[in-house]
Amino acid sequence: MGQQQVLEETISQLIHPGKGILAADESAPTIAKRFTAVGVESTEDKRREYRSLMFSTPGLGDYISGVILYEETLDQLSLDGEPMAALLQRQGIVPGIKVDKGKGPLANAPGDEITFGLDGLEERLLGFREQGARFAKWRDVYHITDTNPSRLAMEANAEILARYAAVCQSLGIVPIVETEVLIDGHHTIERCAQVSEAVLREVFRALDRHGVGLEGMLLKPSMVTPGKSHTSQASPEQVAQATLSVFRRAVPAAVPGIVFLSGGQTPEQATANLHALNQHAPQPWQLSFSYGRALQEPAQHAWAGNLENGPAAQDALHLRAKLNSAARNGAYKPEMES
Ligand code: 13P
């Protein structure tokens, strides 16, 4: 198989109808925050127990096509002593890997951040591919204020994101290009739309500059919503309309799939919004999910650090995966929550 065919094969698995991606790639500091919220101290062993439980959820592969892993997890064995990537493959799930190294302040751009991790990327990717990873993720983050994100931040982040995507494709690894316009703040949905469109236009300019094949990548954006502290929240239909009008302007039709992040929406909101988006099908791209918190939060509460709660935690993950699968087909109903 040629490299292009390898990429397209992985993508068709990832955007399989009725399935989406589980983002379980929280870095050590982020997963510590999630564990603290349910009263668990984050140790290497606890992270292994929790993720092993999640990935061995019976029937998970019916709704989940891919899982994004953190480096540490790719090196770990499941509770049954099997490499985590092998466990996922046995479930019919494609293993992927987060490859960015987090973010920090961008010099000369007050309030903006830049994502790190290009140094040594090719070598690291080769190692991850050896361990079974077939796709990768890199996250760029944009803060909204009256003056952020600056043009400098949009250009610098887009450039780096495109370089990451080009390296992935050269190795037959599908790049997930993640642009998270943060939900924090009191901005309006219109301001979010304006920033999201500017960010996406800049990213696709950079992808073009670097020769990234649009058919061989997936986009992982945030939905267009008002800020979390805005006086009123938007309905799923308002979110769907605002999101689609931005994406139809800024995302080329050659991109096979848009896999949204949940970005601080509640699990129910993230499902209802995805459903509303899919009510407007067909669109040029598959509209799917790559949720972290919105898939895992109820499972983390059910688990609470106790192995005996494993089956309850798996049930909670299974339910959210199933409901998002329904939303992906525009077939979710709030009654299905109970
Ligand atoms: P959330 O769905 O919790 O935003 O996580 C998705 C993700 O991968 C963020 O990088």
Side-chain angles (χ1 to χ4, degrees):
M1 260 201 285
Q3 215 72 292
Q4 184 60 25
Q5 241 181 313
V6 172
L7 295 172
E8 285 176 15
E9 173 64 26
T10 303
I11 286 181
S12 76
Q13 285 176 273
L14 290 175
I15 57 171
H16 188 281
K19 296 190 191 187
I21 296 170
L22 166 62
D25 61 327
E26 300 87 353
S27 62
T30 303
I31 197 73
K33 251 194 284 177
R34 308 280 181 261
F35 278 14
T36 302
V38 296
V40 179
E41 194 197 339
S42 179
T43 62
E44 188 179 341
D45 239 32
K46 274 292 166 196
R47 294 192 289 272
R48 168 173 167 259
E49 172 186 316
Y50 167 70
R51 285 168 168 153
S52 174
L53 276 171
M54 291 301 96
F55 304 161
S56 50
T57 297
L60 190 65
D62 294 343
Y63 309 115
I64 297 296
S65 56
V67 170
I68 315 174
L69 301 169
Y70 185 56
E71 258 186 84
E72 174 191 83
T73 317
L74 195 57
D75 289 331
Q76 284 175 330
L77 300 179
S78 73
L79 293 172
D80 290 332
E82 187 181 16
M84 294 284 199
L87 163 58
L88 291 172
Q89 282 154 350
R90 205 160 43 72
Q91 290 265 51
I93 296 171
V94 185
I97 179 84
K98 167 193 174 76
V99 298
D100 68 71
K101 296 209 161 213
K103 59 190 173 54
L106 175 64
N108 298 326
D112 286 320
E113 294 188 285
I114 187 85
T115 301
F116 310 120
L118 279 182
D119 288 349
L121 179 61
E122 179 167 5
E123 217 178 347
R124 288 170 60 224
L125 281 169
L126 285 168
F128 298 146
R129 191 176 70 180
E130 193 65 34
Q131 288 176 283
R134 292 288 170 268
F135 69 102
K137 178 193 111 170
W138 180 290
R139 173 174 177 254
D140 275 0
V141 173
Y142 305 88
H143 297 265
I144 298 188
T145 68
D146 289 345
T147 50
N148 301 96
S150 63
R151 177 120 298 276
L152 175 62
M154 289 192 277
E155 288 175 357
N157 274 295
E159 178 71 13
I160 290 174
L161 197 47
R163 286 180 59 193
Y164 138 82
V167 176
C168 287
Q169 288 190 337
S170 74
L171 302 176
I173 294 173
V174 170
I176 293 192
V177 168
E178 178 171 358
T179 51
E180 177 164 8
V181 176
L182 292 172
I183 201 169
D184 308 322
H186 53 257
H187 52 269
T188 61
I189 193 168
E190 290 79 13
R191 173 79 178 132
C192 180
Q194 181 192 38
V195 169
S196 300
E197 185 174 337
V199 163
L200 290 170
R201 284 188 188 281
E202 203 55 55
V203 165
F204 281 98
R205 262 197 288 276
L207 291 170
D208 179 49
R209 210 160 51 233
H210 286 270
V212 173
L214 299 183
E215 293 81 358
M217 60 159 275
L218 294 172
L219 179 69
K220 173 164 174 165
S222 36
M223 294 177 193
V224 176
T225 67
K228 215 168 187 160
S229 317
H230 187 65
T231 42
S232 65
Q233 286 307 304
S235 68
E237 181 50 27
Q238 287 167 326
V239 171
Q241 284 187 20
T243 301
L244 288 172
S245 71
V246 166
F247 283 60
R248 290 183 68 84
R249 286 188 208 130
V251 181
V255 174
I258 298 178
V259 295
F260 289 98
L261 59 92
S262 61
Q265 296 180 26
T266 66
E268 294 78 10
Q269 273 172 343
T271 307
N273 289 341
L274 182 65
H275 166 77
L277 281 157
N278 277 297
Q279 291 294 101
H280 294 263
Q283 296 294 332
W285 346 264
Q286 293 287 314
L287 296 173
S288 186
F289 59 92
S290 174
Y291 292 161
R293 282 163 286 180
L295 279 168
Q296 296 186 71
E297 239 168 47
Q300 285 163 356
H301 279 96
W303 170 62
N306 186 346
L307 193 53
E308 280 170 23
N309 296 332
Q314 291 178 334
D315 286 350
L317 175 66
H318 189 269
L319 176 65
R320 290 263 49 99
K322 182 173 159 183
L323 296 179
N324 284 300
S325 163
R328 171 130 163 49
N329 296 327
Y332 163 77
K333 295 189 188 71
E335 306 88 85
M336 294 160 82
E337 292 286 346
S338 49

